[in-house]
């Protein structure tokens, strides 16, 4: 293991340990050996919350990387391409027509609507001029706004606006033992992406080049859409929408590591986990004992980073 890798892992471990001891109830490491209540708090609340944050940051970052490969555009992610809003629409529809449905059924419905919404977005951008890079995210933002407005209108008609707000604003305050299990599905899909990273790298060259190299382009596209849809649905059902994670993290890593997904995906996962966990800890500390939702805080941070990405001179190197 190189020195850089060791430092990266060490930084993340320090954040994980710090996260376990940040909260409304003061808890010190030594109390875990002497106070049963401290150990209970760690196992029921602090550890599940920290794991949920890590899984969310990793899966959203990798889903954003996959979407950018499929769309061949650096400035899109599920929450700015209609995928997140489509998942929310699926949740609203399930709540309206099947109010007693299980969380698993809601996740499946949200995955299906996210998949359909992403497919519609891909069909729309095919008609755009390829040289107009910024038109793709603009169309995605408008499209996501339309889908989100439909979800809000339906929720307003059924007096579900307060419930809708929970899904539209990502936060981890309710993460307890037994309430974040679905996020492991997103984590497994994120790990699976690494095993097909070479195929995604070839797919990023375009359909014709990929086919000339012997790649089954449709299958890889289908796998990518499945990863995006399920990860988006799982995270929204569990914690809500957290914007910009899948946008800024792949772009930062691309400038540092290049475009070879086999090499860059571990760094994408690490940086996504680190930034999301840091934002969650900051949200717990800024106005303690109250919290700022991580979706709100990361929305501000992500907007600033996105502006920097737009106006700074890229210094990419391909590996």
């Amino acid at each position: 293991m190189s020195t850089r890798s060791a430092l990266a892992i060490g930084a993340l471990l320090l954040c994980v340990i710090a996260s376990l001891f940040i909260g409304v109830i003061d808890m010190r490491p030594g109390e875990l050996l002497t106070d049963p209540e401290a150990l209970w708090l760690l196992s029921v609340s602090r550890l599940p919350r920290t794991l949920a944050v890590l899984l969310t940051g990793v899966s959203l970052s990798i889903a954003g990387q996959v979407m950018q490969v499929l769309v061949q555009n650096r400035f899109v992610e599920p929450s700015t391409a209609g995928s997140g809003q489509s998942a929310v629409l699926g949740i609203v529809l399930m709540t309206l027509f099947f109010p007693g449905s299980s969380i698993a059924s809601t996740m499946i419905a949200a995955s299906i609507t996210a998949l359909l919404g992403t497919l519609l977005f891909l069909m729309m951008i095919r008609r755009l001029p390829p040289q107009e890079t910024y038109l793709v995210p603009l169309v995605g933002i408008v499209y996501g706004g339309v889908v989100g407005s439909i979800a809000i209108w339906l929720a307003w008609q059924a007096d579900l606006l307060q419930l809708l707000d929970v899904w539209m604003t990502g936060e981890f305050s309710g993460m307890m033992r037994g309430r974040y299990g679905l996020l492991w599905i997103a984590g497994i899909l994120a790990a699976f992406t690494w095993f097909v990273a070479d195929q995604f790298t070839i797919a990023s060259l375009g359909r014709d080049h990929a086919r000339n190299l012997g790649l089954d382009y449709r299958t890889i596209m289908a796998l990518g859409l499945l990863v995006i849809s399920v990860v988006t649905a799982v995270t929204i059902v569990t914690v809500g929408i957290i914007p910009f994670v899948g946008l800024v993290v792949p772009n930062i890593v691309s400038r540092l590591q290049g475009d070879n997904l086999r090499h860059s995906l571990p760094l994408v996962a690490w940086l996504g986990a680190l930034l999301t966990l840091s934002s969650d800890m900051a949200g717990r500390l800024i106005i303690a004992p109250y919290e700022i939702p991580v979706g709100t805080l990361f929305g501000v941070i992500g907007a600033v980073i996105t502006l920097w990405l737009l106006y700074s001179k890229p210094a990419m190197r391909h590996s």
Side-chain angles (χ1 to χ4, degrees), residues 18 30 58 69 122 126 142 144-145 165 179 218 250 272 275 305 308 312:
V58 168
V69 167
L122 292 176
R126 283 182 181 178
V142 173
D165 186 61
R179 294 190 60 181
R218 289 188 175 181
L275 289 179
I305 296 176
W308 170 74
S312 65

Side-chain angles (χ1 to χ4, degrees), residues 131-172:
Q131 68 274 14
E132 297 293 339
T133 306
Y134 298 118
L135 274 181
V136 175
L138 287 176
V139 169
I141 292 171
V142 173
Y143 168 63
V146 172
V147 176
S149 298
I150 295 173
I152 291 173
W153 182 82
L154 290 173
W156 173 66
Q157 291 291 320
D159 197 21
L160 293 174
L161 285 179
Q162 288 186 337
L163 189 61
L164 182 67
D165 186 61
V166 175
W167 298 317
M168 298 297 287
T169 305
E171 55 95 21
F172 295 93

Side-chain angles (χ1 to χ4, degrees), residues 11 14-15 22 28 35 62 66 73 78 110 138 156 163 175 186 188 218 236 251 275 284 293 314:
L14 285 176
C15 287
I22 294 176
R28 295 180 176 82
D35 189 353
I62 291 181
V66 172
N73 190 288
L138 287 176
W156 173 66
L163 189 61
M175 288 298 102
I188 292 171
R218 289 188 175 181
I236 290 176
N251 274 282
L275 289 179
R284 283 181 265 174

Side-chain angles (χ1 to χ4, degrees), residues 44-105:
V44 172
S45 177
R46 300 287 175 81
L47 183 59
R49 176 172 184 154
T50 302
L51 290 175
V53 175
L54 294 175
L55 289 169
T56 300
V58 168
S59 57
L60 285 179
S61 300
I62 291 181
Q65 178 79 81
V66 172
M67 172 161 274
Q68 291 174 15
V69 167
L70 297 184
V71 179
Q72 298 179 38
N73 190 288
R74 290 290 185 190
F75 296 100
V76 294
E77 65 146 353
S79 66
T80 60
S83 303
Q85 292 81 359
S86 299
V88 170
L89 179 60
I91 297 173
V92 172
L93 292 174
M94 283 295 290
T95 305
L96 288 175
F97 296 107
F98 304 98
S101 59
S102 63
I103 295 179
S105 300

Side-chain angles (χ1 to χ4, degrees), residues 52 116 123 147 218 279 294:
L116 294 176
M123 292 172 61
V147 176
R218 289 188 175 181
S279 298
V294 67

